[in-house]
Amino acid sequence: MWAAAAALAVAVPFYLEGFWLQTGLFAMSAAVGAIGIALLTGSTGQLSMGHAFFLAVGAYSYVYFADDPAAGASHALGGLGLPTPIAAVLAVVTAGVAGGLFSPIAGRLKGAYLGIATLALIFLGQHLLFNAEPVTGGYNGRAVPPMELFGLVFADSPSLVVFNVPFGSLERLWFLGLLVVLGAAAFARGVLRGRPGRAMNTIRDHEIAAGVMGVPVARYRAGVFVLSSMYGGLAGVMLALVFQRTVPDYFSVLLSLDYLAMIVIGGLGSIGGAIIGAVFVSVLPQLLTRYSDNLPLIAEPGSGGVSPAEAARILYGAAVVTVVLFLPGGLAGLFGRLRAMAAGRAALFTRAPQARLSPPPASSSPSPSPDTRR
C-alpha cells in the first residue's frame, strides 16, 4: 500500500492540471504546520493561538534573506540576497528564535492562559507586517524569490520537459514538498516515540506526576514551543513558494483557528491525524470554490450569498463538533478502527476454511463398555 501511495504521489504532476497541483501544495504546507501544532497541543497539551505568527515569520524571513534589493523594482525594500537554500534554513531558524523569545512565557503558562498570551502574537505580527514596509512591503506584500537548489530553479523558467510533460513551478515544487513533508513527519514521529515523546505525553496527561518523576516540565514546554515554531516557519516558507507573493492579510487569527481545526479533526496527538486534518481543512475551500457553480446554497465571492470560504468554515466547524462528540480519536482514529475491523474479518475468513478442512476432534469421554450398556 505504501508503494502504491508513493507511485501515485510521483505520478501526480504528470497527469493533473495546475489547480490540483496548487491545492496539493497548499495541503503539504498545511500538513507541515499542523505537525508542529500537533506536537505542542496534541502531545504536550499546550494551547496556542499564535501559530499563524510563526508562519508569517518564516515566509517573510525567507523573502528578506533571499531577495536582492538591487534587482527589485522598488529600492525601498530591503534584502540580503543570500542563496535561497540558506535563506530557507535561516527563515526556519528565525521562526525558532521568535518562539524562543516567547518560550519563557510558554514554559510557565498552560491551557487557556497560554492561548490568550499567544493570541497577542497575532496582533503584534499584523502590526509589524503592515508597518515594517522595508522588510514586509506593507499592505501589498512582497514577491517571493523562487527556490534554486542544485542548479534547478523552481519556477516556470527556464523551461523543463520531462517525458514530454512541461514542468513549471508547481510541478517542480511538488516533489520538493513531498520530501519536506516526509522529512517533517519522520522527525516528529521519532520525537514522539523516544524519551521526549513519553515526557511530553506525561506532561499532557498528568503534569504533577511528570514533575514528581523528574521531568523538567517548564523546560519541555519551552522546548516544544520552539520546535512547533520552527515547524510553523517551515510551513511559511513552503506557503510563500507556492503563493509566490506574501500578503499580510493571510496570516490572521483565522489561520491559527484553521490549524487548531486540523489537529482536532485529524486526531489529537497523532502525526498521521495532523496530516489528514490538514488535507481536509485546506482542500475543502479549494473544492468549494472550484465547483461553486454546481453546488446549492453557495454563491460566488462578493455576490452577497454564502461564499465558498464561508461554506468551508461552516462545514469543518460542523466536522469539529462531530469529532468531539462522536469520534474522540478524529479521522485517524476512525481509519484505525476500520483497519482493525477489516483485519479481524480477514483473520476470521482465513480461519474458517482451516476449521472446515481439519478433522473433528476425538471425543474425550470414554466409550461405554458392554457391561455398562446392559
Side-chain angles (χ1 to χ4, degrees):
M1 185 167 54
W2 283 107
L8 179 62
V10 172
V12 161
F14 293 94
Y15 295 98
L16 296 185
E17 59 181 359
F19 168 81
W20 297 108
L21 293 178
Q22 189 178 48
T23 302
L25 287 168
F26 285 151
M28 291 179 191
S29 63
V32 173
I35 292 173
I37 198 69
L39 292 174
L40 181 65
T41 303
S43 300
T44 316
Q46 294 288 87
L47 178 62
S48 175
M49 296 288 292
H51 205 55
F53 171 78
F54 299 106
L55 268 83
V57 171
Y60 279 95
S61 297
Y62 169 77
V63 175
Y64 181 79
F65 290 139
D67 197 12
D68 187 0
S74 175
H75 295 281
L77 299 177
L80 300 181
L82 299 176
T84 51
I86 298 177
V89 173
L90 290 179
V92 176
V93 173
T94 303
V97 171
L101 294 176
F102 194 82
S103 62
I105 301 176
R108 289 169 174 80
L109 297 179
K110 63 179 181 178
Y113 298 101
L114 179 61
I116 295 172
T118 53
L119 188 62
L121 292 175
I122 298 295
F123 301 110
L124 174 62
Q126 289 289 298
H127 177 76
L128 292 176
L129 293 181
F130 284 119
N131 293 282
E133 294 187 6
V135 176
T136 65
Y139 289 86
N140 297 324
R142 295 187 62 167
V144 178
M147 175 68 70
E148 184 175 355
L149 187 62
F150 301 118
L152 176 63
V153 181
F154 292 83
D156 292 330
S157 60
S159 61
L160 177 65
V161 178
V162 180
F163 297 113
N164 295 325
V165 177
F167 264 45
S169 61
L170 297 178
E171 287 82 4
R172 303 176 196 184
L173 286 172
W174 179 268
F175 295 101
L176 179 63
L178 285 178
L179 294 177
V180 172
V181 172
L182 291 177
F187 181 82
R189 188 178 294 272
V191 170
L192 292 180
R193 289 184 174 180
R195 184 176 179 181
R198 293 191 292 270
M200 291 157 55
N201 292 332
T202 307
I203 294 173
R204 177 196 61 194
D205 297 334
H206 205 297
E207 178 185 346
I208 298 177
V212 171
M213 289 188 295
V215 176
V217 176
R219 188 188 309 169
Y220 264 97
R221 282 178 174 170
V224 175
F225 192 86
V226 173
L227 180 60
S228 175
S229 305
M230 297 180 72
Y231 268 91
L234 180 59
V237 173
M238 294 179 61
L239 195 64
L241 291 174
V242 177
F243 263 129
Q244 299 182 359
R245 190 170 191 85
T246 54
V247 182
D249 290 332
Y250 183 79
F251 304 98
S252 64
V253 67
L254 295 178
L255 182 60
S256 295
L257 293 177
D258 287 346
Y259 275 102
L260 291 178
M262 292 175 192
I263 61 173
V264 172
I265 294 174
L268 289 172
S270 171
I271 301 303
I275 296 175
I276 294 172
V279 172
F280 179 83
V281 173
S282 59
V283 170
L284 184 60
Q286 303 293 329
L287 293 179
L288 292 178
T289 302
R290 178 69 178 266
Y291 301 106
S292 60
D293 297 336
N294 301 323
L295 296 175
L297 304 179
I298 299 179
E300 296 182 359
S303 61
V306 179
S307 66
E310 294 172 345
R313 296 186 186 280
I314 293 172
L315 288 177
Y316 63 68
V320 168
V321 176
T322 303
V323 166
V324 170
L325 293 179
F326 304 106
L327 295 173
L331 294 179
L334 177 61
F335 292 155
R337 289 159 62 182
L338 294 176
R339 186 171 61 243
M341 292 174 58
R345 290 184 178 181
L348 180 62
F349 288 144
T350 54
R351 285 197 302 266
Q354 295 176 1
R356 288 195 298 267
L357 293 175
S358 60
S363 176
S364 60
S365 60
S367 59
S369 62
D371 298 334
T372 305
R373 287 197 296 268
R374 293 195 190 113

